[in-house]
Amino acid sequence: MTFKEIRFTGGRFEENSGLLDLSVLPELEVYHNLLSEIAKDVWRQSHSNRTNLPSGFGEEFRLGISEISEGSCRLLLERSSGSVNSKTLMQMKVDDAFDKSAEIIDQTLLAIQNEELFPEGVTYRTLAMFEDWAKKLRHDESIVLIRSDGSEAYFNHSIREILSLRTMQLQIFRDNIYVTGEVRKIELREQTGGSFELKLDTGDNIRGSFTDEQESDITNALHNHYSVRLRIRGEGEFEPSGDLRSIVRIDHYEIIPSEGIAFDSDAPSLTDMFDDLREGIPEDAWDDVPTDLSKNLDHYLYGRPKEYE
């Protein structure tokens, strides 16, 4: 099934209709990278109760060129992510995130062309990734994305310059954050909640705010700051340069051990792993699980006699 139709227009592609110049293959790689990064944000936003991405997120999502034809070098990109019959519910949800990601990229290009606001779902981080696009195109060439309704969204050197100007004009902005650090200081407010200082692994100290409900756990993280770290997903305030300046909201947090552990912020938690497994198992599969499994595990594993009441 075709995932996306893309056309390269102008310059070399008009001169040699239907011929894909191998030098522009990196443009397709940039598109794939954009899809992956935006899909991660889409997943996180739609699973606010989850700290981690599913294990191996997007590894099954692959794009390949299924057809090259004339018409200013028309490409059909086909998605390969396993057979429909073998897909788990979790994988189908990941595929949905990539479909939404493709639509966000289209909407972002249209917003630049029409001088409109950027769509919900695109972040400063992913906007910066557009800077890597069109580097292999000449100034009279464009990459065109064909939308499901037949309309076109395109990107070229002129669009990239407009995007750069708009990005430079951004002042302090807010975006999603996923950070881990050591709680170093806490200040309580008279009315509600308080503020804290988090020392990131980079050595930067970032101030943040917390609510009354979060006060006890964050205070505990401060008291045990030599042995634990606070891992946060929420919203941060950024400088125009993209540097994080403060944490304005905590949506989810975990207190994790720090002694002798090289913490991988992308590694799934045990709870997330169990959730992934549970969501991928059909409900009727549980009917085959023995009700006395905990008592007679040796019987089912090794054939030993059953124990009865």
Side-chain angles (χ1 to χ4, degrees):
M1 179 179 178
T2 299
F3 177 79
K4 195 69 177 176
E5 178 183 341
I6 290 181
R7 294 192 188 121
F8 287 93
T9 64
R12 291 165 290 176
F13 311 106
E14 299 290 346
E15 297 166 3
N16 302 286
S17 182
L19 178 67
L20 177 64
D21 191 313
L22 295 182
S23 67
V24 301
L25 287 179
E27 304 296 344
L28 299 178
E29 184 178 6
V30 173
Y31 180 63
H32 185 273
N33 292 340
L34 277 167
L35 284 170
S36 298
E37 288 306 307
I38 296 175
K40 291 176 184 178
D41 290 337
V42 169
W43 174 271
R44 287 168 174 140
Q45 291 164 9
S46 60
H47 295 78
S48 57
N49 62 322
R50 298 284 297 276
T51 304
N52 303 293
L53 293 167
S55 179
F57 181 92
E59 288 182 359
E60 293 298 318
F61 180 86
R62 299 182 182 91
L63 284 181
I65 302 172
S66 62
E67 181 180 326
I68 302 177
S69 59
E70 295 185 5
S72 299
C73 195
R74 171 179 174 266
L75 308 179
L76 296 184
L77 301 186
E78 189 167 314
R79 170 170 52 195
S80 173
S81 54
S83 67
V84 175
N85 292 333
S86 66
K87 282 183 183 177
T88 63
L89 177 62
M90 181 64 66
Q91 183 59 45
M92 287 188 284
K93 290 180 178 178
V94 171
D95 286 351
D96 289 343
F98 277 88
D99 289 332
K100 178 63 176 176
S101 176
E103 179 62 21
I104 289 174
I105 292 175
D106 291 349
Q107 292 172 352
T108 300
L109 298 185
L110 291 172
I112 302 170
Q113 293 167 210
N114 301 322
E115 299 183 356
E116 298 173 346
L117 294 176
F118 292 123
E120 182 179 354
V122 68
T123 66
Y124 189 95
R125 175 176 55 82
T126 51
L127 282 176
M129 293 180 65
F130 281 83
E131 291 289 322
D132 292 328
W133 219 2
K135 286 186 174 180
K136 300 298 181 180
L137 297 182
R138 298 174 181 172
H139 284 273
D140 60 344
E141 298 172 345
S142 300
I143 182 168
V144 182
L145 307 182
I146 311 302
R147 309 182 71 203
S148 57
D149 62 1
S151 61
E152 299 180 349
Y154 64 91
F155 195 76
N156 52 31
H157 285 277
S158 297
I159 296 295
R160 189 172 67 180
E161 289 174 5
I162 295 172
L163 175 60
S164 296
L165 288 173
R166 288 188 60 175
T167 303
M168 289 173 58
Q169 291 168 358
L170 291 175
Q171 301 302 311
I172 294 171
F173 64 96
R174 293 188 177 188
D175 203 348
N176 300 324
I177 57 166
Y178 309 90
V179 296
T180 302
E182 176 187 351
V183 179
R184 302 296 296 270
K185 185 188 300 183
I186 282 181
E187 295 179 3
L188 299 179
R189 301 192 185 100
E190 292 185 5
Q191 300 296 326
T192 178
S195 62
F196 66 101
E197 186 175 284
L198 192 71
K199 183 178 181 181
L200 304 181
D201 295 336
T202 59
D204 295 329
N205 292 317
I206 305 296
R207 293 189 64 82
S209 299
F210 59 83
T211 64
D212 286 342
E213 293 78 11
Q214 297 162 346
E215 178 184 329
S216 177
D217 287 333
I218 292 181
T219 301
N220 181 50
L222 172 64
H223 291 162
N224 298 283
H225 68 98
Y226 288 114
S227 59
V228 302
R229 294 293 180 267
L230 188 65
R231 182 182 181 193
I232 295 172
R233 173 174 54 76
E235 184 179 45
E237 193 170 69
F238 291 79
E239 301 285 356
S241 62
D243 295 329
L244 178 64
R245 58 179 287 171
S246 66
I247 299 168
V248 297
R249 190 184 71 249
I250 299 175
D251 293 330
H252 186 87
Y253 63 90
E254 287 183 307
I255 297 177
I256 59 174
S258 61
E259 292 183 357
I261 296 178
F263 181 66
D264 180 0
S265 61
D266 293 324
S269 68
L270 189 60
T271 301
D272 289 346
M273 292 172 66
F274 278 122
D275 285 345
D276 292 350
L277 289 172
R278 178 173 50 78
E279 291 185 23
I281 298 175
E283 287 296 326
D284 56 3
W286 295 106
D287 297 338
D288 298 328
V289 178
T291 58
D292 60 345
L293 184 61
S294 61
K295 176 180 289 187
N296 287 299
L297 181 61
D298 287 346
H299 167 75
Y300 293 106
L301 289 178
Y302 310 114
R304 293 177 182 172
K306 274 191 175 185
E307 293 183 19
Y308 297 94
E309 295 291 347

